[in-house]
Amino acid sequence: MYRDGARKSIWQEETKKFTSTADCNKIYDVAIIGGGITGVSTALQLQQSGKKCIIIEASNIGFGTTVGTTAHLNDFFDTTFPQAISDFGLENAKLFAEVGQEAISMIANNIHQFTIDCDFERKPAYLFALDEKQERTERYCRRCCRSRSCHEFHS
């Protein structure tokens, strides 16, 4: 099956079907919609805090966005930091920037804690502009993001 109808990820070469062992008569505290890295990580964190969770996934665990990302994690998002500042203000944009780093750290900690053999490595990321508007945004981010964490904002 093609994830987006046009391209097949190398992570889809082997599709495993999982059957549900969930008790449909059981009451859960939280239903997580989507079994990608975000949904699974969220369910794990909630279970570790004592919540009863169920993951509801339409296809396979890790199938949707997670399978299409070539398994890379990053701390920048489709919403640019300048747009986040414009929409939500500087302080909330700083929180937005911090959660990307926290998410990667959480996943790295899970890999270590559960001895997951997945070849996890931290690598540099590069962002390229495809047009003039993206180039202006990239220049703005470069000026604003001089720290190692790339998230120092200036008003």
Side-chain angles (χ1 to χ4, degrees):
M1 178 187 281
Y2 293 100
R3 184 187 67 84
D4 63 4
R7 293 175 213 78
K8 187 172 185 176
S9 167
I10 61 168
W11 311 112
Q12 292 174 283
E13 292 301 320
E14 182 181 338
T15 303
K16 295 181 179 180
K17 295 291 181 189
F18 297 94
T19 57
S20 174
T21 58
D23 180 355
C24 293
N25 295 315
K26 186 175 179 181
I27 303 293
Y28 295 92
D29 298 314
V30 180
I32 305 291
I33 309 300
I37 190 69
T38 302
V40 171
S41 296
T42 301
L44 175 62
Q45 191 165 25
L46 286 167
Q47 285 182 337
Q48 288 174 329
S49 69
K51 300 292 182 190
K52 296 177 189 164
C53 299
I54 186 168
I55 296 174
I56 300 170
E57 169 56 48
S59 187
N60 279 321
I61 296 296
F63 181 77
T65 300
T66 299
V67 79
T69 62
T70 64
H72 80 274
L73 305 171
N74 62 63
D75 63 347
F76 56 90
F77 307 96
D78 291 340
T79 299
T80 64
F81 295 113
Q83 187 64 48
I85 293 169
S86 173
D87 291 349
F88 306 109
L90 181 61
E91 292 307 311
N92 288 324
K94 287 179 181 180
L95 291 173
F96 178 58
E98 291 168 8
V99 298
Q101 289 285 325
E102 287 178 24
I104 294 170
S105 293
M106 183 178 78
I107 292 166
N109 291 337
N110 289 341
I111 290 166
H112 178 74
Q113 179 182 352
F114 297 105
T115 319
I116 299 170
D117 183 14
C118 64
D119 297 325
F120 177 82
E121 293 182 46
R122 291 188 184 264
K123 300 279 188 176
Y126 301 94
L127 189 60
F128 298 93
L130 299 175
D131 57 33
E132 183 61 35
K133 182 180 177 188
Q134 289 180 354
E135 189 174 330
R136 284 191 306 270
T137 299
E138 192 272 335
R139 280 194 306 265
Y140 174 85
C141 289
R142 202 173 331 126
R143 282 194 315 269
C144 295
C145 302
R146 298 290 185 213
S147 74
R148 187 170 190 274
S149 66
C150 283
H151 300 305
E152 287 183 5
F153 292 94
H154 306 280
S155 50

